[in-house]
């Protein structure tokens, strides 16, 4: 929660100044925060998809085995 408050505070400061355009370090830090949030969202999506796959994987494998039986 504290991180989100800090990010919002920094966003307000940057929005009301020209720091993003004039300070490369500020630009890099903001880009890093945005990128790290996107990575977290992607990882959560991957975890959810992996969990769903693990639930149906045994049925899929059984279906493949069943189709090969003669």
């Amino acid at each position: 929660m504290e991180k989100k408050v800090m990010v919002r505070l920094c966003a307000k400061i940057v929005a009301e100044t020209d720091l993003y355009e004039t300070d490369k370090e500020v630009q890099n830090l903001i880009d890093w925060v945005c990128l790290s949030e996107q990575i977290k969202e992607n990882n959560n999506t991957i975890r959810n998809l992996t969990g769903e796959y693990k639930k149906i994987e045994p049925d899929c494998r059984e279906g493949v085995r069943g189709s090969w039986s003669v």
Side-chain angles (χ1 to χ4, degrees):
M1 182 64 175
E2 290 175 7
K3 181 180 176 183
K4 288 184 180 184
V5 171
M6 292 299 292
V7 168
R8 289 182 67 192
L9 175 63
C10 291
K12 284 183 98 42
I13 292 169
V14 168
E16 295 185 18
T17 65
D18 62 347
L19 283 175
Y20 188 81
E21 290 82 17
T22 59
D23 190 331
K24 188 67 175 171
E25 186 176 8
V26 169
Q27 187 178 12
N28 289 339
L29 287 169
I30 291 170
D31 293 347
W32 177 81
V33 168
C34 294
L35 182 62
S36 67
E37 286 301 313
Q38 185 62 52
I39 290 170
K40 286 179 187 177
E41 288 177 24
N42 290 350
N43 286 343
N44 287 337
T45 301
I46 291 168
R47 275 190 218 95
N48 291 338
L49 291 172
T50 302
E52 290 176 24
Y53 175 75
K54 285 182 179 181
K55 289 178 186 173
I56 65 167
E57 179 187 19
D59 296 334
C60 294
R61 289 183 182 270
E62 190 58 41
V64 170
R65 286 187 193 118
S67 66
W68 286 88
S69 301
V70 179

